[in-house]
Amino acid sequence: MVSPSEGNEVWRDACQEVRAPDSTDDVGELIPRGVGGGKRAAKVLDRCLELQQMPRNLDNVSTVRDGVLRRLIGKWLSAGVMEEGNVSFSESGTPQGGVISPLLANIYLHYVLDAWFEETVKPLMRGKCRLIRFADDFVLIFEKKNDADRVMAVISKRFEKYGLTVHPEKTKLIDFRAPNHWERRNSVGARGQRPETFDLLGFTHYWGKTRKGNWAVQRKTKKSRLARSIQRIGQWCRENLHEPVREQWKTLCAKVRGHYAYYGITGNSSAIRTFVDQVGRKWKQWLNRRNSRRSMTWETFNLLLKRYPLPIPKIVHGIFKKRTT
């Protein structure tokens, strides 16, 4: 809906558009490059922005002149939300879960954050720095701690100037230097301690060792996301308890494949194996409640899995696959 050059402005490379199927995977691949593979220090300002109150006009920040697009945005912002048959209208912000939210986030943050960071912040930094953003989720990576502290002190004021609010619990500055970084080894306070982690787009980013024994930035499913996904599977099995087993199997396979399509990345095989294992357990638990005899033992369920197997764990977004394409 919005072209990369809308309003004769070039959209920043840091912004990954929501429309791209592999864009979240691209953001994840930017993290190791932004940190520099442990060759330099990294101070990460994690997930600073929560779009709690989105202003309802674009006059302050946008040069989007397309009248059709502006009217469409206005209609979306004015649309009510129906909950249990009742329609409510909010006076500020965007409708919860509305598809307009990522579009407005890209328009607003292109000017409020991306352009400001590239044109104003970067020239004033003493060390290297990088912005990585997907819609309203982003991290800022700094080589020097003083640079990170300076941006941390002003970024809230920058957003408030344009009517945006910063989520205080999601704003934090962490030390993300590699465990073998010389500054960490020589620092009394950080010596022997593992680097902190941060979450972005449902993944926890952390330092881990490769098969060759080298330190690298790795990603795994965020614990709360994994728990929520398993809980939803259990809820679905409960609500569809008396559906034919074959129909249950088809739907569960689709849900598992959808999970792999997002979380199936290099280094996350343990988490997706845990997920499919828990899906089987939830399925067996509720099949066992289809009658009062509780006849679905593990032996019986394993025989059922031979006829209706769940999809095996699969790495969909592999870094080695990308290198060969």
Side-chain angles (χ1 to χ4, degrees), residues 23-240:
S23 53
T24 54
D25 190 52
D26 295 337
V27 171
E29 293 303 322
L30 288 174
I31 296 290
R33 297 203 296 268
V35 173
K39 296 179 181 178
R40 59 176 183 271
K43 308 292 180 179
V44 180
L45 187 57
D46 176 27
R47 295 192 66 187
C48 301
L49 185 62
E50 179 78 4
L51 295 181
Q52 297 172 320
Q53 296 294 330
M54 173 67 75
R56 293 202 163 206
N57 66 78
L58 306 176
D59 296 336
N60 294 333
V61 298
S62 177
T63 59
V64 176
R65 301 183 182 90
D66 189 336
V68 175
L69 177 60
R70 296 176 74 94
R71 285 193 297 273
L72 179 61
I73 292 174
K75 290 180 179 179
W76 271 111
L77 290 175
S78 302
V81 178
M82 179 177 290
E83 295 180 345
E84 299 180 354
N86 299 320
V87 180
S88 61
F89 300 89
S90 63
E91 298 180 357
S92 62
T94 59
Q96 182 66 29
V99 296
I100 195 64
S101 298
L103 174 62
L104 283 188
N106 273 339
I107 293 177
Y108 253 82
L109 296 185
H110 167 66
Y111 299 94
V112 177
L113 179 63
D114 300 351
W116 172 71
F117 185 80
E118 293 291 334
E119 299 169 6
T120 303
V121 174
K122 266 191 173 182
L124 300 178
M125 299 292 99
R126 296 181 57 189
K128 296 181 179 179
C129 58
R130 184 164 192 174
L131 162 67
I132 300 172
R133 178 174 70 82
F134 181 88
D136 61 343
D137 281 340
F138 67 89
V139 294
L140 298 171
I141 302 176
F142 300 91
E143 181 181 3
K144 304 292 184 182
K145 185 178 185 302
N146 291 338
D147 292 341
D149 290 336
R150 291 169 61 191
V151 175
M152 184 75 167
V154 302
I155 196 166
S156 297
K157 299 177 182 178
R158 171 70 181 178
F159 292 138
E160 291 173 0
K161 178 181 178 181
Y162 294 96
L164 302 175
T165 55
V166 176
H167 198 296
E169 297 179 0
K170 294 183 179 180
T171 305
K172 60 181 179 180
L173 183 63
I174 68 172
D175 185 352
F176 202 64
R177 292 174 294 183
N180 61 343
H181 192 277
W182 66 272
E183 289 185 355
R184 179 176 290 277
R185 293 199 304 266
N186 296 333
S187 175
V188 177
R191 187 184 305 163
Q193 296 182 359
R194 292 187 63 86
E196 299 178 71
T197 64
F198 67 93
D199 300 323
L200 180 68
L201 301 176
F203 292 97
T204 297
H205 294 72
Y206 66 100
W207 283 99
K209 283 195 173 183
T210 65
R211 293 181 179 179
K212 295 183 178 180
N214 301 320
W215 288 103
V217 178
Q218 299 181 354
R219 293 173 289 163
K220 61 183 179 181
T221 308
K222 185 179 176 182
K223 288 184 178 180
S224 60
R225 292 290 183 91
L226 180 59
R228 186 175 68 181
S229 298
I230 296 171
Q231 182 182 13
R232 288 179 175 177
I233 291 291
Q235 180 68 20
W236 184 90
C237 290
R238 178 177 179 270
E239 295 173 353
N240 296 270

Side-chain angles (χ1 to χ4, degrees), residues 265-282:
I265 63 173
T266 300
N268 196 35
S269 57
S270 177
I272 61 177
R273 281 197 301 266
T274 298
F275 174 75
V276 71
D277 178 66
Q278 291 299 318
V279 169
R281 290 177 178 273
K282 292 292 183 182

